[in-house]
């Protein structure tokens, strides 16, 4: 149980284009999902908290107009990187908690984004 | 601000050579301390949650312990498949279930 998937697992795009990453909880409903990014040899940095049916909460320094998050259902959250640039190249990982008020986050396999 | 410091950065072990990883933390009101394992190019895999000082949890060759200022992850008689980066994270009561991660300890176990 507690399986989280992400799609795509990797994507290469041209500078200036937008990329959408999906995060799904496969065997449970997730009221809250989290989005992280991880640069090589570094740890995970929280970008935003996504709650079903409401606006995402972004961490300080994360541009909400650049990283659009939508949590339309209890099993799906999406992250859209708009007008991507090479500096946005990173490993993006989502996580989900089993139910609201539960502390343990289960992580997806990650999406490798490369912007040329 | 929550702070998590992991040491050492890297650990090279011979198969069967037991060792410990350290996670020191500063947090205002600890809700939980988490250990994850991350393989290259993959998302973190949940290992343990510890809630209070004195608590211990075990899973196969791994054992996690918690004090008021730090946590240890003990690896007993490691095997090459235990090679990974081990991440420690804390969650504060005041922080809406957000996790603050340490930089991780990369463990390499040689056969």
């Amino acid at each position: 149980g507690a399986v989280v998937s992400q799609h795509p697992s990797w994507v290469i795009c041209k500078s200036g284009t937008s990329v959408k990453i999906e995060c799904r909880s496969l065997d449970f409903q997730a009221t809250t999902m989290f989005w992280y990014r991880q640069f090589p040899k570094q740890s995970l940095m929280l970008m935003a908290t996504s709650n079903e049916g409401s606006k995402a909460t972004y961490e300080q320094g994360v541009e909400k107009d650049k990283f659009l998050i939508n949590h339309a259902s209890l099993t799906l959250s999406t992250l859209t990187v708009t007008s991507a640039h090479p500096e946005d190249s990173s490993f993006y990982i989502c996580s989900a908690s089993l139910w609201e008020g539960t502390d343990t986050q289960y992580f997806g396999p990650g999406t490798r984004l490369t912007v040329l | 601000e929550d702070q998590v410091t992991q040491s050492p950065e890297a650990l090279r072990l011979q198969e069967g050579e037991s060792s410990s990883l350290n996670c020191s933390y500063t947090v205002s009101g600890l809700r939980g301390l988490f250990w994850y394992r991350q393989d290259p190019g993959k998302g973190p895999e949940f290992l343990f949650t510890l809630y209070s000082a004195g608590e211990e949890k075990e899973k196969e060759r791994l054992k996690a312990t918690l004090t008021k200022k730090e946590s240890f992850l003990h690896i007993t008689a490691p095997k090459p498949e235990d090679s990974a980066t081990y991440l420690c994270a804390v969650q504060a009561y005041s922080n809406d279930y957000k996790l603050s991660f340490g930089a991780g300890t990369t463990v390499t176990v040689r056969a």
Side-chain angles (χ1 to χ4, degrees):
Chain A
V3 179
V4 178
S5 70
Q6 281 184 243
H7 179 80
S9 55
W10 59 270
V11 57
I12 301 173
C13 69
K14 292 183 179 180
S15 187
T17 61
S18 295
V19 174
K20 180 185 283 189
I21 302 170
E22 293 186 348
C23 175
R24 293 182 186 271
S25 54
L26 298 185
D27 52 359
F28 65 100
Q29 293 186 329
T31 306
T32 305
M33 290 183 173
F34 301 85
W35 287 95
Y36 296 81
R37 63 190 297 180
Q38 185 176 34
F39 291 106
K41 305 293 184 183
Q42 294 186 26
S43 195
L44 282 75
M45 295 300 295
L46 180 65
M47 297 175 67
T49 304
S50 166
N51 290 292
E52 185 264 340
S54 62
K55 290 185 177 181
T57 303
Y58 292 81
E59 294 300 297
Q60 193 170 8
V62 178
E63 300 174 59
K64 61 181 180 181
D65 294 330
K66 180 167 189 62
F67 299 99
L68 301 179
I69 293 172
N70 182 273
H71 194 155
S73 76
L74 287 172
T75 59
L76 173 65
S77 177
T78 60
L79 168 68
T80 301
V81 184
T82 62
S83 187
H85 291 285
E87 58 265 29
D88 299 322
S89 297
S90 188
F91 192 50
Y92 292 88
I93 314 174
C94 71
S95 71
S97 298
L98 278 175
W99 56 80
E100 189 172 12
T102 298
D103 43 39
T104 302
Q105 293 178 26
Y106 295 89
F107 286 81
T111 297
R112 172 75 58 194
L113 170 63
T114 302
V115 185
L116 302 177
Chain B
E1 184 180 326
D2 303 336
Q3 289 197 340
V4 182
T5 304
Q6 292 188 245
S7 62
E9 285 186 22
L11 189 60
R12 294 176 63 87
L13 301 172
Q14 199 67 34
E15 184 173 3
E17 178 188 1
S18 301
S19 189
S20 294
L21 285 56
N22 178 264
C23 171
S24 298
Y25 64 91
T26 303
V27 63
S28 177
L30 179 72
R31 180 193 300 274
L33 184 141
F34 301 79
W35 283 99
Y36 289 87
R37 167 194 170 126
Q38 186 176 27
D39 293 307
K42 303 284 180 63
E45 174 190 345
F46 171 70
L47 294 174
F48 305 108
T49 309
L50 300 167
Y51 295 102
S52 57
E55 189 174 2
E56 298 182 352
K57 288 195 176 173
E58 287 187 68
K59 178 181 180 180
E60 295 181 356
R61 295 176 293 280
L62 301 177
K63 178 180 176 180
T65 61
L66 181 66
T67 72
K68 288 188 176 180
K69 295 206 181 287
E70 57 191 351
S71 177
F72 292 93
L73 183 66
H74 307 278
I75 309 178
T76 301
K79 298 181 178 182
E81 52 262 43
D82 294 322
S83 298
T85 295
Y86 291 86
L87 299 169
C88 171
V90 297
Q91 191 179 69
Y93 280 108
S94 61
N95 216 6
D96 294 328
Y97 300 99
K98 297 177 185 178
L99 292 177
S100 296
F101 280 89
T105 294
T106 300
V107 175
T108 304
V109 183
R110 295 166 292 174

